[in-house]
Amino acid sequence: MNRMFAKTLFLQFLGIFAVLCSVVACSDKHTAGTVTDTGNTVAEVTGVVHRADGKLASNAVVRMARVVVDDSLIVPEMLESVTDTDGVFAFDSAIADTFQLAIIDTSAEEIFYMPRTTAEAGNFDSIKLEKAAFFSSVLYYENVAELEVAVGSHFIVYLTGTPFYQSVFAGDSFSVMIPQGTWWMEFFPGDPQIVAKLQSSGVADSLIYRSWKMTSEVKPGDTLDVRPFLWSTAADVDTLVKETEEAAKDVSRLYGKVACKNGKPCEGVEVALITDLYGFTFMEGDSLEFDVLTKTDSLGRWWLNLPKEVPEDSFRVEFRKVQDDIVVQAGTSRYVKKSEIAKLKDTLDVGVDTLQRPASLLSGVRLVVDSQDTTQSSNCMVNSVVVGIKGTSHFIRDVSCDMLTLTGIPAGIQEIVLYSGDPKVISVLEKSDAVRWSYVTLTGVDLPENAEQKVQWITYTPPSKNILE
């Protein structure tokens, strides 16, 4: 059973069960659910439930669910019953040969969980509950305005891979009874029609069913009180938990679309955020790293959280489509001004960008020493330089007087950046009052698509003693 089908089925089960119970009184002995295929298992499953103090547990919810084997994030198909006044529960048949069994007594705040059992092997005649652990928080959500889907305020909070779940409403505090242990929690819209709309709009399941792992174990009687959660199709996993309720309500992000060279929506494009336009943080290695933050969905859409820091007056988003470890298409967004996100409270649409086949650059840096500055060396080997393309991840370091090659560059009009390859020199200059253009050279270039552009012998003069002082 695939994940999408299983979760849709689970949501349908919740809706159907609620409707049935609103029309007729739910009996003490009943079987709920939309699927009753049990394979070879047809025997009735019955049991008796006692509370921790030995008294019979009446009106306790009993859930029988399939065992999750291949994917711990799958919501298991399940059947539900309720104990009668004698603490007895019964299912007409087992949901599968091997199944999970969960019992929840909300009035006594006690539970029971058997993650794997069978109708034949299970001893259900005298089940004893124990004190539950509690997972408490409040959930907020970000509406997906770009998709024109009203998510609504009804959500499901779910203990991944188990029969423990609870319906919650955004903005209201909730508390879920769970067994002891360290668990993954999952949050998703409670309306199956909304889930279907999100899926048909191209939103990946992993962005609809948001997962978060507990950082510590909970024991019987414990309460894990977690800061507000934010359900969002764009937020990173690390930012699903907010420091305050105000932060959870105050959501801002970047959004855009990417088209392939053929003009159609481009799926699976890697997206990087470039805030260091000049590559000054480039210190080690042979090239500046392309830090993949997300990928485009089937409709070419991407979302990113706002950058935590923008050292320049603007920043840019870079795209690349990789096939067999080779960049086959590349591109960049427009420069986004720092002022555009200063007080942003919702989503900034960066626009649509069309990829092209990447270009390459072959260039050389010729050393030109200021004859008036006796502190500068005329030896190429002691003068390293950094050469890159402004607003991209393409920066390399080498000694002057050598030819340099950059590949996989976004084609079109770009700016070549050139400065000293000594990080200490750049650090001193950045902290000084020196005008940036006295130690950084910018050269415009039009990079042809799927071809190499030769820009030979860019001249480089090491920073003078006066600038460094």
Side-chain angles (χ1 to χ4, degrees):
M1 181 182 297
N2 63 43
R3 180 178 180 181
M4 183 182 298
F5 175 78
K7 289 188 173 180
T8 302
L9 181 63
F10 174 67
L11 290 170
Q12 290 174 343
F13 154 66
L14 292 179
I16 292 174
F17 180 66
V19 171
L20 288 175
C21 285
S22 66
V23 176
V24 297
C26 292
S27 64
D28 290 339
K29 175 182 175 181
H30 66 269
T31 302
T34 58
V35 176
T36 57
D37 179 15
T38 61
N40 298 324
T41 302
V42 294
E44 184 180 44
V45 178
T46 63
V48 181
V49 181
H50 295 264
R51 291 176 175 169
D53 60 7
K55 295 180 181 179
L56 293 170
S58 60
N59 294 317
V61 175
V62 184
R63 292 171 182 161
M64 177 192 295
R66 291 185 182 273
V67 175
V68 176
V69 178
D70 56 346
D71 185 347
S72 63
L73 297 180
I74 289 178
V75 177
E77 175 193 345
M78 66 181 70
L79 304 176
E80 187 169 297
S81 181
V82 178
T83 59
D84 61 17
T85 54
D86 295 322
V88 176
F89 69 88
F91 293 96
D92 293 339
S93 61
I95 194 170
D97 292 332
T98 303
F99 55 86
Q100 305 179 69
L101 192 67
I103 303 176
I104 304 167
D105 188 335
T106 55
S107 60
E109 297 186 344
E110 295 176 352
I111 61 173
F112 171 84
Y113 180 48
M114 187 176 289
R116 191 178 186 91
T117 188
T118 64
E120 295 78 13
N123 182 13
F124 310 128
D125 292 337
S126 184
I127 295 175
K128 191 172 184 179
L129 305 179
E130 68 175 10
K131 282 295 181 181
F134 286 87
F135 174 82
S136 300
S137 186
V138 60
L139 177 68
Y140 293 93
Y141 69 97
E142 178 185 15
N143 238 323
V144 192
E146 295 81 6
L147 306 177
E148 298 183 354
V149 176
V151 179
S153 59
H154 176 212
F155 286 82
I156 301 296
V157 177
Y158 165 63
L159 192 68
T160 305
T162 76
F164 294 93
Y165 68 88
Q166 185 168 312
S167 293
V168 302
F169 286 93
D172 290 346
S173 298
F174 64 86
S175 187
V176 183
M177 295 170 59
I178 61 175
Q180 77 172 72
T182 303
W183 303 97
W184 282 87
M185 302 299 296
E186 200 161 348
F187 309 82
F188 53 92
D191 188 337
Q193 293 184 347
I194 289 176
V195 172
K197 285 182 180 180
L198 290 171
Q199 290 170 336
S200 64
S201 298
V203 181
D205 265 11
S206 60
L207 299 179
I208 300 173
Y209 303 95
R210 302 314 308 263
S211 300
W212 175 82
K213 187 178 182 180
M214 296 180 186
T215 57
S216 59
E217 180 182 5
V218 290
K219 297 180 180 180
D222 286 352
T223 296
L224 180 61
D225 196 351
V226 184
R227 295 185 297 269
F229 275 83
L230 171 70
W231 180 90
S232 166
T233 59
D236 297 332
V237 173
D238 293 340
T239 60
L240 291 177
V241 180
K242 298 296 181 180
E243 290 293 334
T244 63
E245 293 188 21
E246 288 71 24
K249 297 175 184 177
D250 186 12
V251 179
S252 53
R253 59 179 178 170
L254 303 171
Y255 162 78
K257 292 184 179 180
V258 177
C260 283
K261 179 177 170 58
N262 59 11
K264 297 181 179 180
C266 216
E267 182 179 6
V269 175
E270 297 178 345
V271 182
L273 190 63
I274 310 297
T275 57
D276 183 12
L277 301 181
Y278 302 95
F280 289 147
T281 57
F282 168 48
M283 295 296 179
E284 304 293 340
D286 296 327
S287 63
L288 192 66
E289 181 180 0
F290 187 98
D291 186 11
V292 181
L293 297 181
T294 188
K295 292 184 180 180
T296 57
D297 63 17
S298 59
L299 298 182
R301 298 169 304 198
W302 58 268
W303 292 267
L304 287 177
N305 290 336
L306 297 183
K308 296 179 180 179
E309 182 181 1
V310 182
E312 308 297 335
D313 62 352
S314 60
F315 60 93
R316 194 151 69 154
V317 181
E318 184 178 1
F319 314 103
R320 69 179 186 186
K321 189 170 182 62
V322 179
Q323 183 176 338
D324 298 328
D325 296 326
I326 298 175
V327 179
V328 294
Q329 296 187 55
T332 57
S333 72
R334 65 179 177 86
Y335 284 99
V336 181
K337 295 181 180 179
K338 190 174 182 178
S339 58
E340 292 182 73
I341 65 170
K343 297 182 179 180
L344 187 66
K345 298 297 183 182
D346 46 18
T347 300
L348 176 63
D349 189 345
V350 176
V352 180
D353 295 288
T354 301
L355 304 184
Q356 293 180 296
R357 286 172 292 184
S360 60
L361 173 69
L362 175 65
S363 181
V365 180
R366 177 171 289 165
L367 183 64
V368 177
V369 177
D370 184 356
S371 59
Q372 302 299 317
D373 189 346
T374 58
T375 64
Q376 296 178 353
S377 171
S378 58
N379 185 347
C380 291
M381 297 302 294
V382 300
N383 285 281
S384 66
V385 293
V386 169
V387 178
I389 304 298
K390 181 184 175 184
T392 73
S393 61
H394 299 276
F395 285 84
I396 60 174
R397 178 187 287 107
D398 208 336
V399 295
S400 56
C401 301
D402 277 2
M403 299 300 290
L404 308 171
T405 301
L406 291 168
T407 60
I409 310 171
I413 298 176
Q414 304 286 356
E415 289 182 281
I416 301 175
V417 180
L418 172 67
Y419 55 83
S420 170
D422 188 336
K424 292 183 179 180
V425 170
I426 294 300
S427 178
V428 170
L429 291 170
E430 280 293 286
K431 294 176 182 178
S432 70
D433 295 330
V435 179
R436 177 171 290 173
W437 313 126
S438 64
Y439 56 91
V440 175
T441 300
L442 291 177
T443 303
V445 62
D446 190 355
L447 299 174
E449 181 183 6
N450 199 35
E452 182 181 72
Q453 176 68 55
K454 296 182 179 179
V455 180
Q456 295 187 2
W457 304 123
I458 303 173
T459 59
Y460 170 69
T461 300
S464 67
K465 180 179 179 181
N466 292 335
I467 293 179
L468 291 173
E469 291 179 347

